[in-house]
Amino acid sequence: MLQDKISKWVKRYANENNRKTLVVGISGGIDSSVVSTLCAMTRMKTIAVSMPINQIESQHDLSMDHGSWLEEKFNNVTHEVIDLNRTYERFWLDTFNEYGSEHAFANTKARLRMMTLHHISGAKRGLVVGTGNKVEDFGVGFYTKYGDGGVDISPLADLMKSEVWQLGKDLGIMQEIIDAPPTDGLWEDGRTDKDQLGGLTYDQMERAMELDEKGAIAIGSDVELLNKYRQIRSMNLHKMEPIPVFKNDGTTQTSNSKSRS
């Protein structure tokens, strides 16, 4: 089964790199719920971390409920709750209040969370396990560079969102999480992924991504869909392409590592 293949892949990678712990942030969304469950299935020490930052209560409740479910189901899981509200507010109010970009502060939340996960990972000889899916990571670039994109391994990055939802059902993830509107949880007004992605649903983005990759000619309603998808993608290509490197011979070379924001 797919969940067994992914779980074994995660464990094999950890063993090959002499890592003893898997660290994953859980938000109450389907992607992080699936990834944390797959990590737990390895039977390796798994630390699932809830990191509220001015979180909408319903989102935080789902994160807490999933963490409790993991601890009840797997004896190798520890659910940690690290409240980052004061850290974020001090950063916001005392340091960067003159740079009041709403979007920048949303990305700062993601970066604070990733710093937290890497600190735990560094202390426990761990791996930070990513939660991005194929549409987000390689389609529209819907993640924060050096935030939720700053991971060690990415188990879902070759799965479409629809496949992640199906995997969630197969794993017995809470129905409330499966049914919840996808959101990155970075906005205090509760805006969803659809709100941020020009009104496109994941089903629509999957169709557009398939059309784009095949070089198919769009007709009818697909024309507008593909145009929206390409517009979003073009704005985020800098996240998905390697970092440009100046070469002293006058050329430009890209690095071997992928840059993510």
Side-chain angles (χ1 to χ4, degrees):
M1 297 179 70
L2 180 59
Q3 57 261 45
D4 296 321
K5 291 180 181 178
I6 298 174
S7 183
K8 288 177 181 177
W9 175 82
V10 171
K11 186 172 185 177
R12 182 170 64 250
Y13 183 88
N15 288 337
E16 288 173 352
N17 289 276
N18 198 27
R19 301 292 95 186
K20 302 300 182 184
T21 309
L22 304 174
V23 183
V24 56
I26 56 172
S27 63
I30 186 64
D31 297 313
S32 64
S33 297
V34 166
V35 169
S36 55
T37 304
L38 293 171
C39 288
M41 288 171 58
T42 65
R43 298 298 171 181
M44 294 180 61
K45 175 65 177 175
T46 298
I47 303 176
V49 191
S50 297
M51 296 168 285
I53 307 178
N54 296 347
Q55 204 78 13
I56 289 179
E57 187 174 354
S58 59
Q59 295 172 2
H60 183 53
D61 287 346
L62 287 177
S63 174
M64 296 297 290
D65 289 345
H66 179 68
S68 297
W69 178 82
L70 283 174
E71 285 191 313
E72 291 171 6
K73 189 174 177 67
F74 300 96
N75 59 15
N76 56 311
V77 174
T78 300
H79 177 213
E80 298 280 0
V81 182
I82 300 179
D83 191 328
L84 294 174
N85 280 296
R86 290 181 63 188
T87 303
Y88 171 72
E89 288 171 3
R90 181 168 183 180
F91 187 90
W92 179 19
L93 297 175
D94 297 349
T95 307
F96 282 106
N97 57 321
E98 292 185 11
Y99 298 91
S101 164
E102 185 182 32
H103 188 262
F105 278 123
N107 281 329
T108 291
K109 292 179 182 179
R111 291 175 179 130
L112 286 174
R113 287 173 174 155
M114 194 50 62
M115 286 171 62
T116 301
L117 296 178
H118 277 287
H119 183 92
I120 295 170
S121 173
K124 297 295 182 180
R125 289 182 64 190
L127 290 172
V128 174
V129 186
T131 62
N133 58 67
K134 187 173 184 177
V135 180
E136 294 169 342
D137 282 8
F138 300 111
V140 291
F142 189 56
Y143 53 81
T144 297
K145 188 182 287 184
Y146 312 121
D148 51 326
V151 300
D152 293 316
I153 56 172
S154 195
L156 302 184
D158 198 40
L159 300 184
M160 291 293 199
K161 187 80 169 187
S162 56
E163 295 176 294
V164 178
W165 267 311
Q166 183 57 54
L167 200 50
K169 294 175 184 177
D170 295 341
L171 291 169
I173 300 300
M174 293 169 48
Q175 192 64 41
E176 293 86 347
I177 291 176
I178 293 173
D179 292 340
T183 177
D184 57 17
L186 300 177
W187 305 88
E188 293 166 35
D189 60 9
R191 70 190 69 175
T192 64
D193 292 354
K194 182 180 177 181
D195 295 330
Q196 297 184 68
L197 292 166
L200 297 182
T201 66
Y202 276 96
D203 284 344
Q204 289 175 312
M205 286 188 290
E206 286 185 21
R207 174 163 177 74
M209 188 175 180
E210 182 179 9
L211 288 170
D212 193 51
E213 289 182 342
K214 289 181 176 180
I217 298 175
I219 58 174
S221 60
D222 282 343
V223 174
E224 183 180 0
L225 173 63
L226 192 55
N227 285 339
K228 279 188 176 182
Y229 168 85
R230 286 174 173 168
Q231 182 179 22
I232 297 169
R233 176 177 169 82
S234 66
M235 292 187 296
N236 292 323
L237 275 175
H238 68 98
K239 306 178 189 181
M240 297 178 276
E241 294 179 344
I243 300 170
V245 175
F246 169 78
K247 297 297 289 182
N248 205 24
D249 61 4
T251 64
T252 298
Q253 177 179 313
T254 55
S255 67
N256 291 325
S257 61
K258 179 185 168 191
S259 165
R260 302 168 55 98
S261 170

